[in-house]
Amino acid sequence: MTALTPAVPRRRTGGPHPVALMLPAALLTAVLMVIPIGSTLVRVVADRGAGLARMLDIPNFGTIMLNTLVWTLASVVGALLIGYAGAVLFQSKSLRLTGLWRSLVMVPWIIPGVVGATVWRWTLSTDYGVLNQALLDLGVIAEPVRWLSDPDVVLIAVALVQVWVTAPFVVLMVSAALAGIPEERYEAARLDGAGSWQVFWYVVLPAIRTTTGIVVLTLAIWALNSFTIIWVMTSGGPAGSSTILPILLYQAFQNGDQSLVAAVALLQVAIGGVFAFFFARTMRTDLEDQS
């Protein structure tokens, strides 16, 4: 009696081509990214660079670029530091009610930007702000700080609000990456005599390097395109002290200067492209090292 050989399922040959599966996403990307960028470039070329020349001739353009740099660095570094600290704290086994704390931490990231910026504008008010009143009661300051009207303070003040909004995203991403590190790595490091700081530096950071790169790029792009917080809180003032590129773009749009709008938009795209280039290069190096 011969044994029955199980039939091998035949491979389907009539399925959709991989290119057809990718086509909807490619078309959506073209509509949302390629076409706007291309139209902006065409507008700048059609004006023969008049918008770019006018942008460079703005009296405080250097200050705007410096503000953009300070704003981006402060937002990214602040969110990274607080986000990493929060993620490591949530990994602690001694922390109770972790789910509740995680939910509360996500609140700044979830609420609408206009609502958060308005609340912080009231909080940082010189005359009736809660923060000034609390610092006065504690004896930390002798007189109210002009958080939103002092040119030397305003940019850092609004950057701290940006950190407050974006740090929960860092907590979420880093927490997920930390949860994927095998416990054996921690145990091996401790057996080798590594302390807490050495474990963090030589075990944790290398393991979540890819996540860190993604987070840094995302934070930088958010900062470069941030508009709501600064506009609601200061409108770019006082005297342009908190004006960054998105604020300049909106002001040009309000004035009907389409050439300047296209020039500023193209500059933002170029800066974002530089960040994306270095990110892609770093990710490729990481993948080559892992392989």
Side-chain angles (χ1 to χ4, degrees):
M1 187 174 181
T2 59
L4 296 177
T5 303
V8 179
R10 303 179 65 180
R11 182 177 300 176
R12 295 181 60 185
T13 58
H17 195 275
V19 175
L21 296 175
M22 296 173 59
L23 187 59
L27 291 175
L28 182 61
T29 302
V31 171
L32 296 180
M33 295 183 60
V34 177
I35 294 179
I37 294 174
S39 62
T40 300
L41 182 59
V42 169
R43 181 57 184 267
V44 172
V45 174
D47 290 338
R48 297 182 180 181
L52 290 173
R54 193 153 58 252
M55 179 183 67
L56 296 176
D57 288 338
I58 295 176
N60 62 336
F61 180 72
T63 301
I64 293 173
M65 293 300 296
L66 180 60
N67 289 345
T68 304
L69 176 62
V70 173
W71 161 267
T72 303
L73 289 177
S75 301
V76 173
V77 174
L80 277 178
L81 293 177
I82 295 178
Y84 264 85
V88 172
L89 178 62
F90 286 145
Q91 289 296 114
S92 175
K93 297 180 180 179
S94 60
L95 181 66
R96 305 300 179 187
L97 302 175
T98 304
L100 174 62
W101 297 121
R102 288 182 186 273
S103 301
L104 293 177
V105 166
M106 291 295 113
V107 171
W109 192 38
I110 295 172
I111 64 175
V114 174
V115 175
T118 302
V119 171
W120 275 104
R121 187 180 63 184
W122 294 339
T123 303
L124 298 176
S125 173
T126 304
D127 300 323
Y128 52 83
V130 176
L131 180 58
N132 271 336
Q133 187 60 50
L135 294 177
L136 287 171
D137 293 341
L138 294 174
V140 178
I141 57 177
E143 59 182 13
V145 178
R146 297 184 294 119
W147 299 103
L148 302 180
S149 58
D150 186 345
D152 297 328
V153 177
V154 61
L155 190 60
I156 298 301
V158 292
L160 290 176
V161 178
Q162 175 77 356
V163 170
W164 176 77
V165 172
T166 56
F169 167 76
V170 183
V171 173
L172 182 66
M173 294 290 291
V174 176
S175 295
L178 292 176
I181 301 177
E183 187 65 28
E184 292 78 8
R185 295 190 183 181
Y186 296 107
E187 296 177 355
R190 295 189 184 99
L191 289 175
D192 290 339
S196 299
W197 175 252
Q198 291 174 316
V199 170
F200 178 76
W201 188 261
Y202 293 105
V203 176
V204 174
L205 288 183
I208 62 175
R209 183 170 55 183
T210 301
T211 300
T212 301
I214 296 173
V215 167
V216 169
L217 177 64
T218 304
L219 292 175
I221 296 298
W222 284 351
L224 287 171
N225 293 279
S226 181
F227 168 81
T228 303
I229 290 176
I230 294 181
W231 187 256
V232 171
M233 296 182 67
T234 67
S235 298
S241 299
S242 60
T243 298
I244 61 175
L245 285 177
I247 302 297
L248 176 63
L249 187 150
Y250 184 69
Q251 291 172 344
F253 175 78
Q254 284 184 315
N255 296 329
D257 193 340
Q258 297 300 322
S259 297
L260 183 58
V261 168
V264 176
L266 186 62
L267 177 59
Q268 285 189 255
V269 171
I271 295 175
V274 172
F275 278 101
F277 170 77
F278 283 107
F279 170 76
R281 186 174 181 179
T282 302
M283 293 300 99
R284 183 179 65 181
T285 303
D286 288 345
L287 291 176
E288 291 176 352
D289 292 342
Q290 293 175 4
S291 62

